[in-house]
Amino acid sequence: MAREIEFRDALREAMTEEMHRDERVFLMGEEVAQYNGAYKVSRGMLEEFGAERIIDTPISETGFSGLGIGAAMMGLRPIIEFMSWSFSLVSADQVLNNAPKMLYMSGGQFGVPIVFRGNDGAGGQLGSTHSWCVESMFANVPGLKMIIPAFPDDAKGLLKSAIRDDDPVFCLESERLLSLKGEVPEEEYLTPIGEARVRRTGNDCTIVAFGRPVHFALEAATELAKSGIECDVIDGRSIRPLDMDTIATSVRKTNACVVVDQSWPFASIASEISAQVQECCFDDLDNHVHRVNNDDVPAPYATNLEQAMLPHAGKVIEAVRSATYNL
Amino acid sequence: MTIPITMPRLSDTMEQGTVIKWHVQQGDAVSSGDTIADVETDKATMEMQAFDDGTVAEIISKEGDTVDVGATIAVLAEEGEESSTAAKAEAPTETDTQDAPAEQPEVIEAPSAEPTPEPVAEQSAVSQPAATPAASPASAAGHEHMRVTPVARRIADDNNLDLSLIHGSGPQGRIIKRDVLQAIESSKENQAAVPPAAIVTSDKPTEMAQVVTPVSTTALVAGDHTAALTPMRQTIARRLVESKTTIPHYQVTMKFNMDPLLELRKSLNDQLAHHEVKLSVNDFLVRGCALAMADHPDFNASFGGDHILYHGQVNIGVAISLPAEKGGGLVVATIRDADLKSLRLISAETKVLAEKARTRGLTVEEMSDATFTLSNLGMFGVEHFTAIINPPNSAILAVGASVQLPVVRDGQVVVGHEMQGTLSLDHRVIDGAMAAQYLQTLKELIETPTMLLV
């Protein structure tokens, strides 16, 4: 049986279920306990699990992510919440230099089974420094896993898999999706990390997207269908590992590919997928892979400029029309 | 400094041009505005002028070469510069750039294999001279600079299709999957070659789907040979397939008693002989077709998808065949405001345009905006034929010869002249009864030809 719940509730269900299942799991971050989470993701969890397992921290990302990494190395299963991934930059050494490399550097002695999660991407007028999309920059690092759910059911299933995973998993959530409602099964389930999901099928063009841009892609595909252009919309769900099989299978069918990515274009996720598609589907392409990214500028504060800078359905439609020679 | 002369874009849709004739040769001095070459575009043969003063240092594209717009086709040396050395004037000798490869020869004469049709700009000091002669893609053999997407190439290979026979509808003529699939589809349907009454005008292709000419995939046997399509032949192939496959054609034929018109023509020509005026039957027909528009505005109209466009001017297109030595084919010259022009003026204009079409070629302007087309094969002894509509026209009249034959007049069999005229019509605009009524009006005008004088 499935019922409709919000994205934020799906995240909370994942954490509470896993905390009931495994006493090594705990949640730590700014305002996660007494304030119920800056975005109310952890509402009620302090009452349910107590202050030992739902831990408020000072504003010190370097400190609490390092503390989490140490706890993970010693056998616990921390969930570290960043109010925003933008703030994780101050703890870059912990997050990027320690967590993903520890297993390698310790010769296999210390793994880091930790989950870092929080809001990623533009929240709406948060300005240049608080609108980070870290996926392109962070996914560059070997040793980590990265999940980026677009719907509540995947948010729950992927986060549960992340908590059980023995590697550091970065869970990128969108503030703009937290209130999105969707059907989530009542019974327990896991969504495997590294498997994309085809959200819509069509023969004319493959659209690949992750996280919030999946919704732009679906909106664009609905609109394009009115003029007879049918798209495969692939919800990538995880960036590392990347499900290239699903993408390539689709591109071999459609011969056209558009990647929608909410990070900057230079050396981006879209660039990476574009390169891999061209490596494994060269003889199947009827056009170069088209990328829809943020514009290559810091996020503007003004709402109209911010909208112009971000990917949206209109840009996706334009890219698909171009990729399929339907301009 | 050398000045590259590049293939100009002479029409909106032009992507490639063919150098038909050079009017200058190496060493000739040219001034800005001089005609230096005749260039054939997809629509017309046009004169190409020099934009700078100088001396022709190098002719890169030979007569007959087809090159992309923007490709360098010749090089000018500026005044005071030795024309014979200008082309390689900038070849590096002892270079002072540190990045120069160690094995850099002192004098580079052979151009690099890299095609660099773009002039100088970002090239470093050690790279090739501004206009590298043989580096132009024009000199590469046929297929090499054809643009084809990987999947289009793969599908064509799988189906043994010759890509050079496929029209590319993508950017810069790129052959895309859709083009190859349509070619395969067309060859499956085993359609015949392009029908004879082929017509080219300068009108832009309509918004209708790009249509690819059916392509024969028959293997060559001994004695066969192929000839590359001229731009005009490509345009004929594309436009007429588009017309014939997207416009619901039908034909209506009527016979005209030509005796009164032939008598009037003889009388007028006798009287005007000392003015060197010689009116043709075709001139009368142009006038007749134009005057008939007054009663039948639907014939001066175009189908516009969700509307019909009624034209404010009556411009009659006259199909003119071109001599084989000019590459053959045919063009449609436009007699503008033909309903307002006298027979004498129509005759004079037609003569000038026909002569120009057959020698130097018509400009885009001279082939634009026809609203109705007349195609006449009477001079070849043809009695009856049908023509393909020339989009965006809604009708075309195909007329044959005035033939002497026994006819019944006032209940008596007598010898008279008759001519057959066959309208091809776009049924989306013109219905059968309307066609019959137009022909009736035309018949009255032709059989009472003094009407054409006023």
Side-chain angles (χ1 to χ4, degrees), chain A residues 42 127 183 190 193 232 291:
Chain A
S42 53
E183 287 204 345
L190 294 172
I193 296 174
D232 261 2
R291 294 180 293 161

Side-chain angles (χ1 to χ4, degrees), chain A residues 255 282-284 286 324-325, chain B residues 149-151 154 174 177-178:
Chain A
N255 310 122
F282 182 78
D283 285 319
D284 302 289
D286 201 29
T324 57
Y325 304 102
Chain B
T149 68
V151 72
R154 180 166 64 74
R174 184 192 297 167
K177 181 174 76 165
R178 185 191 299 154

Side-chain angles (χ1 to χ4, degrees), chain B residues 135-256:
Chain B
S136 157
S139 58
H143 293 199
E144 290 184 12
H145 61 277
M146 203 161 50
R147 293 185 166 85
V148 191
T149 68
V151 72
R153 190 179 291 279
R154 180 166 64 74
I155 297 171
D157 286 350
D158 291 348
N159 289 275
N160 292 320
L161 276 188
D162 181 353
L163 283 165
S164 66
L165 298 176
I166 298 175
H167 169 77
S169 68
Q172 296 176 294
R174 184 192 297 167
I175 297 172
I176 63 175
K177 181 174 76 165
R178 185 191 299 154
D179 302 327
V180 177
L181 293 179
Q182 283 178 354
I184 291 170
E185 200 55 38
S186 302
S187 63
K188 273 187 197 150
E189 288 167 14
N190 195 22
Q191 292 180 3
V194 182
I199 281 160
V200 185
T201 70
S202 67
D203 294 304
K204 286 185 183 173
T206 59
E207 283 299 305
M208 295 166 182
Q210 290 273 1
V211 179
V212 173
T213 304
V215 172
S216 156
T217 53
T218 314
L220 292 183
V221 296
D224 294 353
H225 75 282
T226 60
L229 296 184
T230 61
M232 176 176 297
R233 184 57 52 194
Q234 287 174 18
T235 308
I236 289 172
R238 179 174 52 76
R239 286 181 53 88
L240 292 179
V241 171
E242 181 181 313
S243 170
K244 190 74 177 172
T245 54
T246 61
I247 298 178
H249 280 69
Y250 70 100
Q251 281 77 25
V252 179
T253 302
M254 191 173 272
K255 286 181 178 168
F256 303 89

